[in-house]
Amino acid sequence: MLHLIFLSTGIRLQELSLSYNLPSALIKKVNINHAKVYISGTNLFTITDWDGWDPEAGIGLTGNIKDNADENTGYPSMKNFTIGMSFEF
């Protein structure tokens, strides 16, 4: 029986959020007290020498530790983006 342990280092951008408050002079003209535009994202990128989809995935789809030698059996982390605006009247 062959057991492989991969010691790996890397970097991951798990979450990033950016927002911008619109200038008061612009929004007061349309009777808005406060307005904000925002964008956020999760699982944006991973830089690593790991051969599988995701170094944090753990056990693959089978749930069996013996099958863990093939790290490509799990699902990769999905990227997620959110864009929005908020207003106060």
Side-chain angles (χ1 to χ4, degrees):
M1 179 176 262
L2 177 63
H3 291 278
L4 299 175
I5 298 174
F6 294 95
L7 299 177
S8 184
T9 59
I11 186 168
R12 169 178 281 174
L13 182 55
Q14 189 79 25
E15 184 174 28
L16 178 67
S17 297
L18 302 171
S19 65
Y20 176 71
N21 293 322
L22 297 176
S24 296
L26 177 68
I27 61 175
K28 293 289 183 190
K29 294 177 184 178
V30 290
N31 295 326
I32 298 174
N33 293 330
H34 180 79
K36 178 171 50 175
V37 178
Y38 60 90
I39 183 170
S40 67
T42 58
N43 299 320
L44 298 176
F45 70 85
T46 302
I47 299 172
T48 182
D49 57 352
W50 184 259
D51 290 331
W53 288 105
D54 184 356
E56 293 181 359
I59 299 171
L61 290 175
T62 62
N64 190 344
I65 294 175
K66 291 189 296 184
D67 293 339
N68 206 21
D70 181 13
E71 292 296 333
N72 288 319
T73 58
Y75 291 113
S77 297
M78 294 182 63
K79 288 181 170 76
N80 198 8
F81 296 97
T82 303
I83 299 172
M85 295 180 75
S86 66
F87 300 99
E88 290 180 14
F89 296 96

